[in-house]
Amino acid sequence: MSEPVSPAAHPLDEIPPRDHARPTDRLVSFAKRWLSAALSQGTAMPAIASLVIIAVFFQSQSQYFLSPGNLSNLAVQATLVAIIALGEIFVLLLGDIDLSLGSMAGASAALLGVMITNGHMPWLLAIFIMLAFGALLGSFQGWWIAWLGIPAFVVTLAGNMGFLGLQLYILGPNGTLGIFDPNIAALSGTELPVSVGWILAAIVGVAVVASTLVRYARGGVAVRSLSRPVVVGVLIVVAVAVFNASRGVPTPFLILIALLVVAWWVTMNTSPGRHLFAVGGNAEAARRAGVQVKRIRMAAFAVSGTLGAAGGLIAASYNGSAGTLTGGGTLLLEAIGAAVIGGTSLFGGRGSVWAALVGALIMSGVENGLDLMNSDQPVKYMVQGVIVLLAVSLDTILRRRQSRGRQLGAAIA
Amino acid sequence: MMVSESGDLQADRSEPGRQAAPIAAERQSVMPRGGEAVAPSEALRVDGVSKSFGLVQALYRVSLSVDHGEVVALVGDNGAGKSTLIKVISGVIVPDEGQLYVNGERVVVRSPNDAAQCGIRTIHQDLALADNLDVVENLYLGRELFRGVGPLRRLDFAAMRQRTAAALLELGIGTISNIRTPMAQLSGGQRQTVAVARATLENCPILLFDEPTASLGLKEARHVIELVQRLRAQGTAILIITHNMRQVFEVADRIVVLHLGKVGAVLRPSSTTPEVVVRAIMGKAP
Ligand SMILES: Nc1ncnc2c1ncn2[C@@H]1O[C@H](COP(=O)(O)OP(=O)(O)OP(=O)(O)O)[C@@H](O)[C@H]1O
Ligand SMILES: [Mg+2]
């Protein structure tokens, strides 16, 4: 049953060697086919392209933009937005939205402050309670949405206000609680030693190569799909090299990557993860197939609440305090923007957890680059607004192209 | 058998014999009473089912039964209540009154899962497929295959791909060249074949087909009708809705005519004519 597929089975691989074709021609035609394949699948390609454009543009404006020091700063800046965006992606995949994550982060940070500073609780226990608090509030919202069928937009909008009230209530009259626990501060303020960074990169690299070889040996892997592990490996090495040229891999960024890897595993390799996509694509079809739609929906909001609390943890750690402004401002909107820019559809059923990273890097990259150019806040907001608008337009256009394709197909049949 | 990770099926056409094996094996394991035994016993009975949507009485005290190894055609005008009855039996909607019996025993079906547990599989008129997922994921939605244990327990995409390819091949479906294609990119007929493959993936004792050939080409419709006959020979009870009189007379052992939500007539193809059936559909006395 498991004869390996000959590598030449895929059309891309069976280009006959043409003596007269110049290498550049072949390169160009390969790039063209690759680009059109990537675009037609609605992947993160546009986002990655914009990342490159941003890098080139700001580097031309300021020599400092691509320096290891600034890129490390950028990674830390992007972490908070990315964690919230990751939470957002879980509900966006369902076609829902969570407008409460800013206040969720703020309220859980306030709770952390009370537990650590007033309650002198062990830091790990406090973090655990804080994340459970986020999960609980998220499930609470999910219950209204899944079981009562109230639109997520409304429930989480109410949640946003309610949790802000909760945040202010927990903080009490002072309005700010200092959080001086060194372990919590270390979550955002430290870097891995250079050698540890390299060892980690080596371990991950070996794991990627090994798993690829295993898949290859099991058969059924086209040579073309081997390019992805290579790209991932190169990216890891480059990233670690850049961070190590500064002060080492930032701890919060490492936490983010760990969260992304777990989220990726769950969404790609487990049935609840795949059911997120199924429900987002066609909830009634999923229900008829026996998917526990309500449970999936509630679980997704529990996850987004937990990640909102995790964002609150990173923010509190970074600021050394929990205040009335923690989780406020444009954080939530930047996170939603990041998720969408990264290629997550607002209509549900399409996207990837990596959108959180790519999107957050774009949002923070623009902010960071404009800072380097000494731009004012008004300009920054306007540029970010334009970027989000373009990203959503692209999403809508891709979606329309897809569905038009189907209607055409149905009409012909 | 060869299915690449990219899902291309080109290399597969050559050896149909080998792919059919796992499916057949699966059939054996799911069939409760063995493949050949075609005892004329009642598989499904619907008793006095009513359902109204607001002022519309979609079904009124409908009763019918399907035996093992029997094909019952459910016919009627648009809006007669055929799909509503299918939805009641498959647990998609809960009826206002009435009972279901499977193998003579009273069952309570309040969700699609309940129906699946009673051995009922359905092709819905609207197909109920997720457009954003590919053929493999749609086929296995809600009953995925796994490998590994503990925290490493994960979906076994390789196995699902192989069995999907085998299932499509067994159905004689050659028009879908890549099983990793998202549903959104398939034609109406291709989507319908996927829905058929989905319902017949395991050999369930009771199958409900709501217009399974409505958007199929001649060859594909032929395959589905042959499939229905094959399944009947294996003892499956089949309730099939179709507007195609030729199909009705080709496959049905009995014809149940629904008219305005009520059973208008029950006829046998051997002792009636299409004209009589059409008159019954229009609510005229034979
Ligand atoms: N969800 C619903 N809400 C309200 N009315 C409904 C609903 N589903 C069906 N109906 C009504 O119930 C009646 C029967 O519909 P049903 O779909 O069962 O017809 P049908 O026999 O399958 O017709 P067709 O041949 O067109 O598929 C129709 O009058 C329809 O308008
Ligand atoms: Mg119908």
Side-chain angles (χ1 to χ4, degrees), chain B residues 53 56 58 76-85 87 125 211 243:
Chain B
F53 299 102
V56 180
D77 257 340
N78 293 136
K82 307 179 296 292
S83 296
T84 306
L85 184 61
K87 285 181 189 163
Q125 189 168 16
E211 303 197 26
H243 289 289

Side-chain angles (χ1 to χ4, degrees), chain A residues 1 3 5 10-11 215 218 220-221 225 265 268-271 274-275 277-278 281-282 284-292 349 406 409-410 413, chain B residues 1 4-6 8 18 87 92 112-113 124 126 128-133 137 141-142 144 146-147 154-155 157-158 162 184 187-189 191 198:
Chain A
M1 282 301 288
E3 296 152 41
V5 163
H10 198 278
R215 278 203 309 167
R218 277 171 53 108
V221 182
S225 64
W265 170 266
M268 298 309 288
N269 289 304
T270 72
S271 62
R274 296 315 296 166
H275 290 171
F277 289 83
N282 188 341
E284 178 59 17
R287 184 177 84 88
R288 291 187 195 174
V291 172
Q292 301 284 347
R406 189 186 78 239
Chain B
M1 122 136 239
S4 71
E5 198 162 85
S6 63
D8 282 316
R18 293 181 58 187
K87 285 181 189 163
V92 171
N113 267 335
H124 292 284
D126 59 8
L129 300 164
D131 275 349
N132 56 331
L133 300 183
E137 288 201 281
L141 183 57
E144 294 84 356
F146 294 90
R147 67 193 171 102
R154 59 202 183 280
L155 295 170
F157 287 108
Q162 293 203 337
S187 76
R191 294 159 58 76
R198 195 183 140 68

Side-chain angles (χ1 to χ4, degrees), chain B residues 51-59 74-87 93 125 210-211 241-243 258 260-261:
Chain B
K51 176 72 193 178
S52 60
F53 299 102
L55 289 177
V56 180
Q57 186 77 39
L59 293 175
L74 189 59
V75 298
D77 257 340
N78 293 136
K82 307 179 296 292
S83 296
T84 306
L85 184 61
I86 294 285
K87 285 181 189 163
I93 55 179
Q125 189 168 16
D210 195 345
E211 303 197 26
I241 298 177
T242 172
H243 289 289
L258 271 190
L260 298 177

Side-chain angles (χ1 to χ4, degrees), chain A residues 29-402:
Chain A
S29 84
F30 178 81
K32 268 188 192 162
R33 270 177 298 146
W34 184 75
L35 199 69
S36 75
L39 273 176
S40 70
Q41 282 166 16
T43 58
M45 277 316 296
I48 290 169
S50 13
L51 213 50
V52 172
I53 294 171
I54 286 171
V56 171
F57 174 75
F58 285 117
Q59 180 65 15
S60 76
Q61 299 297 307
S62 153
Q63 293 299 305
Y64 186 64
F65 186 74
L66 288 181
S67 69
N70 190 53
L71 288 180
S72 296
N73 282 344
L74 179 54
V76 176
Q77 270 185 335
T79 296
L80 176 56
V81 174
I83 289 179
I84 305 279
L86 180 59
E88 205 64 63
I89 286 171
F90 274 85
V91 298
L92 285 178
L93 283 177
L94 293 172
D96 289 334
I97 196 165
D98 192 336
L99 298 176
S100 74
L101 290 186
S103 309
M104 187 78 82
S108 12
L111 184 67
L112 182 75
V114 170
M115 289 188 291
I116 293 283
T117 306
N118 299 356
H120 307 290
M121 207 180 264
W123 66 286
L124 268 178
L125 179 64
I127 289 178
F128 177 78
I129 294 178
M130 159 190 215
L131 296 179
F133 175 75
L136 193 76
L137 292 189
S139 317
F140 176 71
Q141 299 191 109
W143 183 82
W144 287 81
I145 296 158
W147 264 270
L148 297 187
I150 318 282
F153 185 92
V154 177
V155 172
T156 59
L157 188 64
N160 187 43
M161 298 184 221
F163 303 155
L164 179 61
L166 201 58
Q167 177 181 358
L168 300 183
Y169 176 78
I170 295 174
L171 287 170
N174 288 335
T176 303
L177 285 166
I179 298 176
F180 304 116
D181 188 291
N183 293 305
I184 288 184
L187 289 180
S188 71
T190 54
E191 295 85 20
L192 287 187
V194 169
S195 55
V196 177
W198 280 124
I199 292 172
L200 210 63
I203 292 175
V204 174
V206 168
V208 168
V209 170
S211 80
T212 309
L213 286 181
V214 166
R215 278 203 309 167
Y216 190 64
R218 277 171 53 108
V221 182
V223 165
R224 188 187 61 143
S225 64
L226 293 181
S227 64
R228 196 192 287 175
V230 173
V231 170
V232 171
V234 169
L235 271 181
I236 290 172
V237 170
V238 169
V240 171
V242 167
F243 289 135
N244 279 350
S246 176
R247 279 174 305 175
V249 180
T251 313
F253 192 71
L254 195 68
I255 294 174
L256 170 65
I257 297 296
L259 287 174
L260 285 169
V261 168
V262 172
W264 171 78
W265 170 266
V266 169
T267 51
M268 298 309 288
N269 289 304
T270 72
S271 62
R274 296 315 296 166
H275 290 171
L276 283 176
F277 289 83
V279 173
N282 188 341
E284 178 59 17
R287 184 177 84 88
R288 291 187 195 174
V291 172
Q292 301 284 347
V293 175
K294 289 176 181 171
R295 275 190 229 164
I296 293 284
R297 185 158 266 137
M298 188 150 142
F301 277 92
V303 169
S304 83
T306 311
L307 286 166
L313 173 63
I314 294 296
S317 160
Y318 192 73
N319 298 329
S321 67
T324 51
L325 295 180
T326 308
T330 54
L331 173 63
L332 171 73
L333 299 180
E334 275 183 53
I336 296 176
V340 174
I341 291 172
T344 306
S345 171
L346 281 172
F347 307 102
R350 191 156 60 76
S352 151
V353 298
W354 299 105
L357 177 63
V358 178
L361 284 176
I362 292 176
M363 292 299 268
S364 308
V366 168
E367 201 169 337
N368 176 297
L370 290 171
D371 274 339
L372 291 181
M373 290 169 63
N374 293 318
S375 305
D376 297 330
Q377 195 61 46
V379 177
K380 292 201 303 196
Y381 281 154
M382 285 189 270
V383 171
Q384 284 186 325
V386 169
I387 290 178
V388 170
L389 183 64
L390 289 180
V392 179
S393 310
L394 196 66
D395 172 40
T396 312
I397 290 166
L398 282 179
R399 188 178 125 96
R400 196 176 303 152
R401 259 199 0 195
Q402 254 191 15

